[in-house]
């Protein structure tokens, strides 16, 4: 399922899995916070997902 012209859901998921184990990077912390749904806010989750998609597109 394409998220953007250059990124699909499987690619994003695989990159998030790899980033989650990065202890001292912003994207690693972002993945862990996204998965924990801290704040329980749809708006925060949407913003986090948008940032993660941006990181994944840069890596492409």
């Amino acid at each position: 399922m394409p998220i953007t012209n250059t990124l699909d859901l499987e690619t994003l998921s695989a990159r998030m899995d790899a980033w989650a184990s990065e202890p001292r990077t912003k994207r690693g912390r972002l993945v862990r916070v996204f998965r924990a749904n801290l704040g329980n806010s749809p708006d925060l989750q949407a913003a986090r997902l948008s940032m993660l998609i941006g990181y994944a597109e840069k890596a492409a």
Side-chain angles (χ1 to χ4, degrees), residues 16-49:
M16 286 175 63
D17 288 342
W19 295 338
S21 64
E22 296 177 350
R24 295 189 175 144
T25 64
K26 184 176 180 180
R27 64 186 185 190
R29 287 189 301 269
L30 187 58
V31 169
R32 290 187 297 278
V33 169
F34 177 77
R35 289 182 175 170
N37 193 12
L38 295 181
N40 198 25
S41 167
D43 293 334
L44 283 175
Q45 286 295 83
R48 292 171 183 142
L49 183 58

Side-chain angles (χ1 to χ4, degrees), residues 9-20:
L9 186 56
E10 286 107 22
T11 304
L12 176 61
S13 179
R15 290 184 182 158
M16 286 175 63
D17 288 342
W19 295 338

